[in-house]
Amino acid sequence: MRYELFTALDLAGDPPRHPSEFDRLLRTALADRPRTFLVDEAQWLNGEAFEYFRYLWDEPATQLAIIFVGGEGCHTVLRREPMLSSRVFIWQHFTRLTPGEVLEAIPLFHPVWAGADPDVIAFADRHAAHGNFRAWAQLTAHIRLALARTGRPGVDRDLLRWAFSECLDDAVLARGRGVVDGVGQGRRSLYQTPLSVRLWPVR
């Protein structure tokens, strides 16, 4: 965890060898100005990692906000750490977009959908994405590839059917679920990535 934070903070020099020295360096860096940590795939963290985040957050000199983001089971995992969960200010549960929300949000999500017919967007959501933003992200990647290969001016149902075959298998479609479960034919989901820590300064 210390090395992940050292990298995220883009600190100069070599990482310290001793934990106490490393901790002192991180605390000093985090006291410099307000920062926000976004910790993705938080459901895979162990108790030691959670405890270290709590340790840094509790340090009076640090100006730190931490956002834990995760998929299935994340809330349960965080709740198992009472010293951490008691410090969580907001618990936010994200649900699938409704069909109406899809028609509002997806044209703003990426230029390939900006000029698309609402019926085409609804068709894509009904048959593949199911209001799941991860599914929309993967579908968009395949649509961009298809547009580049075919030279078509925009998204249509034929293009979508090709994209469906590329990013979703029959079993996933039958369950009515997006790529949150992975993709077919042995492919790895674009979003099955290891733990990452991202950092933004607060302006």
Side-chain angles (χ1 to χ4, degrees):
M1 184 59 62
R2 292 179 177 92
Y3 286 95
E4 287 282 348
L5 296 176
F6 183 91
T7 301
L9 288 163
D10 196 25
L11 298 177
D14 296 324
R17 294 184 178 181
H18 301 290
S20 60
E21 184 182 351
F22 215 144
D23 293 344
R24 185 165 53 253
L25 175 66
L26 292 175
R27 290 198 309 267
T28 300
L30 292 172
D32 180 51
R33 64 179 185 271
R35 297 177 186 269
T36 300
F37 280 164
L38 175 65
V39 183
D40 200 9
E41 301 293 351
Q43 72 272 17
W44 302 115
L45 292 174
N46 58 29
E48 184 179 354
F50 283 127
E51 178 60 22
Y52 195 71
F53 277 118
R54 185 194 66 78
Y55 160 75
L56 292 175
W57 187 85
D58 275 350
E59 170 62 37
T62 60
Q63 305 177 68
L64 182 61
I66 304 174
I67 303 170
F68 293 104
V69 180
E72 187 70 26
C74 184
H75 177 264
T76 303
V77 170
L78 285 167
R79 282 294 193 190
R80 289 190 194 128
E81 304 293 331
M83 295 295 287
L84 178 73
S85 65
S86 65
R87 289 162 169 78
V88 174
F89 181 61
I90 295 173
W91 297 90
Q92 180 65 53
H93 180 221
F94 292 93
T95 58
R96 297 176 186 274
L97 298 173
T98 66
E101 290 170 337
V102 165
L103 293 179
E104 290 181 15
I106 296 306
L108 303 174
F109 170 56
H110 193 279
V112 301
W113 305 109
D117 189 311
D119 288 341
V120 170
I121 294 175
F123 178 82
D125 191 60
R126 191 166 56 250
H127 291 278
H130 309 290
N132 184 302
F133 241 124
R134 287 189 176 185
W136 272 108
Q138 189 164 20
L139 182 60
T140 300
H142 286 293
I143 287 295
R144 289 184 63 203
L145 179 62
L147 288 171
R149 286 181 177 177
T150 64
R152 295 192 183 199
V155 185
D156 56 36
R157 293 195 179 200
D158 287 339
L159 216 60
L160 283 173
R161 289 187 182 96
W162 177 85
F164 296 165
S165 71
E166 287 297 300
C167 65
L168 299 171
D169 64 16
D170 291 340
V172 173
L173 285 172
R175 290 197 302 270
R177 301 172 73 177
V179 296
V180 69
D181 289 330
V183 292
Q185 301 174 359
R187 297 188 185 93
R188 178 181 172 141
S189 168
L190 297 175
Y191 292 88
Q192 291 175 344
T193 55
L195 166 71
S196 61
V197 178
R198 300 176 190 173
L199 180 71
W200 290 275
V202 178
R203 293 181 172 82

